[in-house]
Amino acid sequence: MQLNREALTRAYRQMKLIREFEERLHEEIQTGEIAGFTHLYSGQEAVAVGVCEHLTERDKIVSTHRGHGHCLAKGCDLEGMMKEIWGSQEGLCNGKGGSMHIADIDKGMMGANGIVGAGAPIAVGAAISNKIDGPDENGKLAVSIAFSGDGACNQGTTFEAMNLAVVTKAPAIFVFENNHYSEHTGVDYAVGTANDIASRAEAFGMKVWRADGTDFFAVYDTFREVLEYVRTPGNGPAAVEFDTERFFGHFEGDPQRYRGDGELDRLRAERDCLKIFRASVTGAKLLEDVDLDTIDTESLKAIENAVQASRAAPRPQPENVLDNVYISY
Amino acid sequence: MAKMMYREAIRNTIFQEMQRDERVVVLGEDVAGGMGTAGGPEAIGGIWSTSTGFYDAFGPNRVIDTPISESAIMGAAGGLALAGKRPVAEIMFADFIGVCMDQLWNQIAKFRYMFGGKSVCPAVIRMPVGAGYNAAAQHSQMISQFVTGMPGIKVVMPTTPEDACGLLRQAIRDDDPVVFLEHKFLYAMSGEVNDDPDFCIPFGHARLARAGQDVTIVASGMMVRYAETAADDLAQDGIGCDVIDLRTTSPLDEEAILDSVEVTGRLVVVDEAPPRCSLATDISALVAQKAFASLKAPIEMVTPPHTPVPFARELESAYLPSPAKVAAAVRKTLEYR
Ligand SMILES: Cc1ncc(C[n+]2csc(CCOP(=O)(O)OP(=O)(O)O)c2C)c(N)n1
Ligand SMILES: [Mg+2]
């Protein structure tokens, strides 16, 4: 299905916002103003956006430690996220969670997660809930999506979640983002089914798909099929593996000694989902460079505004430590 | 004696024990680092720099870089130990013990007793604990309360580089499973370390970090540093504190605590774990039970509130104990009438 101009513009804007969000954080973190551990999503935008552009607020996602892209793509408020990362009282989680724990349940975003592999079982629980709620008037189920990395696919929790989803026929979708690294370790070493995660999901009895995660259209079109399948009552879960790249270190501050010579330059030149998108839509005369340039400018502006707002936003007070608990000691 | 950082004391002690005893093996995530990458093994040497150079020196059989699989790491440590090896496993952050609790609690901790004394399980499980880095709720926790409450496990919380060395060597040579809790804030602290290659510190013997007659402060790990700072400040005002560094929370040096409280009659317990069912409550109960007659004031506990660890700087510092909070608690016991 050909995307119309509006949908293309929207997809590009979403990807660009994520990219600039992360590039700006990369800068800001070096000044020491932002506290904590931050894992940037730059390079993987086409996955989050290619998946989430298909979803409604009824659909749920569970994210990872590298969650900013998933959050933005699922509709979390950009400024609320930035403020959260800044640790402000006005952040999406009132400064309690920070980068690794951003959540917005009303938007169907059930949390980034600091524990690798923790997300998949939670997504299956939400998928079972979707099944209990039953199909909508069009006969389609809401789905729940677990984003997992190539590293997370080695956790027992991920295996258990896949099997549980299969035996309960839960409308869960396991989205594996294979960016070839888990921290400082290569996927060829850590994943016994060398560089192939989807085959694991298949072995659990699921239908699986694979696509190039740096090509928005490959992600988008593949995911439409996945979704069509999982939304149909009785089919149960599915998995999809996207081959993608991370442009920064594992966390901000990672010296990345595990990378090959010139690896990052090559990835930024050849495997950048934004460049690939631009080349593809301008080549096919679907959008003009000027349209995209305008979005670039607007995105930078939006990020700048969010940063300024975060700097000025009220800080939490010591007594706020005791908010959101049922005791006072 | 040699001056080194806490993290170096840990790294060097494991390295020396690996040289000395072929049965000692290391396992954990990124303990080599760079496996399967262009940079090659040892591209990291452990994210805490506590296993730098191990892979090159001892190779993949004895330096096992694992996928992200805490249950398998913990369980394999148990299996290696039952099979006669002396594993030193690293759980990258103590918080991740949640993923592999069964292998520790139902397996490793219970083998010796449950098998009627017919096995030993000489596994060391190292993990960094504690807050202070704004790493939020799942990368900042103190877990001493869980492991100290587990029969079968010995629990070590070293404060100084020298103690890290002597207690870790003891842990590796010990036939029982040991959980070794390293506070992230201590890694970069330096101190003199006894370089005798057989230097061990026996478990169950507290260290008197400061001596004074007025108040007893009991602490472990990083909290000892806060207690020391508080004691030094209070000393300026003529208030003398015994600061007891527990070193091991299991076995517990009851005698050191009780002897001190019998002299001072006042107790402050500092603990980074939440306030319920913790070391703080445990030690308070011990003193209330066995030194009741010596007490001149209610026992004070300096702990975080009963909440997860919050992210924002302001919230985390409100959450954590501090030297000022310790000093205030000491004064409170002295002001009691
Ligand atoms: C249970 C647990 N173990 C280890 C870690 C430390 N850790 C954080 S992210 C990460 C690598 C995850 O790799 P992957 O799943 O591929 O995600 P990516 O970082 O590539 O997005 C590790 C080991 C953790 N947070 N939780
Ligand atoms: Mg990865």
Side-chain angles (χ1 to χ4, degrees):
Chain A
M1 185 183 75
Q2 193 61 266
L3 282 168
N4 63 27
R5 212 183 148 78
E6 194 193 324
L8 287 171
T9 309
R10 205 189 121 81
Y12 182 78
R13 174 173 287 116
Q14 290 289 80
M15 291 198 289
K16 187 69 184 174
L17 275 174
I18 297 171
R19 173 66 54 88
E20 295 303 344
F21 192 91
E22 302 296 62
E23 302 284 325
R24 181 67 183 260
L25 281 179
H26 178 70
E27 303 285 309
E28 295 294 340
I29 283 164
Q30 316 208 350
T31 71
E33 204 174 320
I34 296 172
F37 293 141
T38 321
H39 308 81
L40 301 181
Y41 193 71
S42 281
Q44 303 183 203
E45 295 86 348
V47 177
V49 177
V51 166
C52 291
E53 281 298 281
H54 288 289
L55 304 180
T56 72
E57 285 196 359
R58 285 179 66 218
D59 300 313
K60 299 181 176 64
I61 68 167
V62 181
S63 173
T64 70
H65 56 286
R66 201 174 301 290
H68 304 166
H70 307 140
C71 294
L72 281 168
K74 192 64 174 69
C76 290
D77 178 54
L78 187 147
E79 199 172 292
M81 283 177 60
M82 194 68 94
K83 286 178 174 169
E84 184 59 30
I85 293 166
W86 241 268
S88 158
Q89 181 66 19
E90 287 181 354
L92 275 185
C93 308
N94 303 121
K96 289 264 185 54
S99 164
M100 273 193 289
H101 305 295
I102 295 173
D104 191 345
I105 305 297
D106 294 342
K107 293 273 170 16
M109 164 54 206
M110 305 207 303
N113 210 308
I115 302 296
V116 171
I122 298 170
V124 173
I128 293 173
S129 171
N130 297 335
K131 193 182 99 176
I132 292 169
D133 292 346
D136 62 11
E137 60 279 10
N138 302 317
K140 301 292 182 195
L141 291 168
V143 301
S144 294
I145 293 169
F147 285 98
S148 304
D150 48 285
C153 88
N154 294 320
Q155 283 284 36
T157 47
T158 308
F159 289 7
E160 293 173 28
M162 288 198 280
N163 190 52
L164 180 63
V166 169
V167 303
T168 58
K169 288 200 186 303
I173 303 175
F174 300 88
V175 174
F176 289 106
E177 292 182 78
N178 186 347
N179 63 7
H180 317 290
Y181 292 103
S182 52
E183 286 202 344
H184 318 283
T185 300
V187 67
D188 291 334
Y189 173 79
V191 177
T193 44
N195 226 342
D196 183 359
I197 297 165
S199 64
R200 289 188 173 179
E202 201 163 23
F204 277 103
M206 257 179 268
K207 211 165 143 69
V208 302
W209 281 260
R210 295 177 179 81
D212 179 356
T214 66
D215 176 357
F216 170 81
F217 296 100
V219 175
Y220 189 84
D221 292 341
T222 304
F223 201 74
R224 184 191 308 107
E225 285 176 31
V226 178
L227 206 50
E228 182 68 39
Y229 176 83
V230 176
R231 285 206 193 281
T232 307
N235 278 351
V240 52
E241 176 177 355
F242 295 115
D243 188 30
T244 181
E245 310 292 349
R246 98 167 128 71
F247 285 174
F248 286 114
H250 167 63
F251 62 100
E252 284 308 279
D254 174 5
Q256 303 187 66
R257 289 195 294 266
Y258 46 83
R259 301 261 194 198
D261 284 342
E263 178 179 327
L264 282 172
D265 291 340
R266 184 181 56 76
L267 295 180
R268 290 239 182 208
E270 295 168 14
R271 298 271 291 157
D272 182 340
C273 56
L274 283 160
K275 286 186 186 155
I276 294 170
F277 183 97
R278 184 184 276 260
S280 148
V281 294
T282 53
K285 306 241 178 304
L286 297 170
L287 294 175
E288 303 293 317
D289 272 317
V290 288
D291 304 327
L292 299 171
D293 293 345
T294 310
I295 296 175
D296 289 357
T297 317
E298 288 166 1
S299 303
L300 280 169
K301 183 105 205 336
I303 301 297
E304 177 62 29
N305 290 343
V307 167
Q308 295 309 337
S310 300
R311 286 217 171 98
R315 306 299 304 172
Q317 300 303 307
E319 60 270 22
N320 297 128
V321 168
L322 288 174
D323 294 345
N324 317 120
V325 281
Y326 53 85
I327 43 76
S328 57
Y329 50 79
Chain B
M1 293 298 253
K3 199 174 163 87
M4 65 184 77
M5 282 191 281
Y6 183 92
R7 63 153 53 88
E8 292 170 318
I10 289 164
R11 185 244 166 234
N12 295 352
T13 304
I14 304 171
F15 194 88
Q16 287 164 6
E17 289 301 293
M18 290 185 82
Q19 283 177 316
R20 174 185 160 272
D21 183 348
E22 283 195 340
R23 297 171 302 170
V24 180
V25 301
V26 161
L27 68 159
E29 293 158 18
D30 278 318
V31 291
M35 300 296 286
T37 71
E42 290 281 1
I44 286 294
I47 74 153
W48 303 104
S49 307
T50 47
S51 50
T52 313
F54 285 21
Y55 186 88
D56 284 348
F58 303 107
N61 268 350
R62 293 180 63 202
V63 181
I64 305 154
D65 198 303
T66 69
I68 308 174
S69 309
E70 282 78 12
S71 288
I73 296 169
M74 189 70 88
L80 281 157
L82 278 186
K85 300 295 182 289
R86 294 196 166 255
V88 181
E90 177 178 291
I91 300 296
M92 190 181 281
F93 285 78
D95 313 67
F96 309 161
I97 202 177
V99 180
C100 53
M101 200 61 123
D102 175 68
Q103 292 292 339
L104 180 67
W105 182 46
N106 281 319
Q107 313 303 329
I108 289 176
K110 299 195 164 93
F111 290 150
R112 176 172 156 196
Y113 186 86
M114 201 166 64
F115 298 161
K118 294 189 185 63
S119 73
V120 293
C121 187
V124 179
I125 318 293
R126 299 175 39 240
M127 55 192 89
V129 288
Y133 282 95
N134 310 103
Q138 297 170 343
H139 284 72
S140 304
Q141 295 170 89
M142 175 50 67
I143 59 140
S144 55
Q145 69 279 29
F146 303 131
V147 283
T148 305
M150 273 183 206
I153 299 278
K154 293 176 176 169
V155 182
V156 183
M157 294 180 70
T159 303
T160 66
E162 172 144 298
D163 278 9
C165 168
L167 292 164
L168 183 54
R169 186 173 285 110
Q170 175 63 37
I172 294 171
R173 296 185 187 185
D174 203 286
D175 275 345
D176 282 312
V178 177
V179 170
F180 200 86
L181 303 179
E182 301 161 12
H183 201 288
K184 286 163 228 157
F185 253 29
L186 295 172
Y187 276 136
M189 293 200 178
S190 290
E192 294 293 334
V193 175
N194 185 332
D195 48 17
D196 175 351
D198 287 318
F199 169 62
C200 287
I201 298 173
F203 292 164
H205 295 276
R207 178 179 71 100
L208 191 63
R210 292 288 186 279
Q213 302 287 307
D214 301 318
V215 179
T216 302
I217 311 179
V218 175
S220 49
M222 181 65 197
M223 296 303 106
V224 175
R225 297 285 190 188
Y226 292 166
E228 287 172 336
T229 309
D232 293 345
D233 288 350
L234 291 160
Q236 313 265 317
D237 293 346
I239 300 168
C241 298
D242 263 358
V243 175
I244 297 181
D245 172 358
L246 291 176
R247 281 179 164 161
T248 61
T249 62
S250 189
L252 180 69
D253 189 349
E254 297 191 359
E255 216 176 284
I257 301 168
L258 296 172
D259 286 353
S260 172
V261 173
E262 269 157 29
V263 174
T264 62
R266 296 183 168 85
L267 174 67
V268 172
V269 195
V270 193
D271 189 358
E272 199 180 324
R276 303 283 312 278
C277 305
S278 61
L279 270 176
T281 56
D282 183 60
I283 288 159
S284 301
L286 170 81
V287 168
Q289 234 178 355
K290 297 193 180 167
F292 183 72
S294 312
L295 285 175
K296 298 178 198 150
I299 298 165
E300 285 297 319
M301 296 192 278
V302 181
T303 71
H306 192 67
T307 72
V309 186
F311 163 68
R313 287 193 174 101
E314 294 85 346
L315 296 175
E316 196 189 47
S317 30
Y319 171 92
L320 279 174
S322 65
K325 290 179 189 172
V326 177
V330 167
R331 288 182 195 281
K332 197 168 164 201
T333 65
L334 286 165
E335 280 155 16
Y336 179 78
R337 290 287 173 263

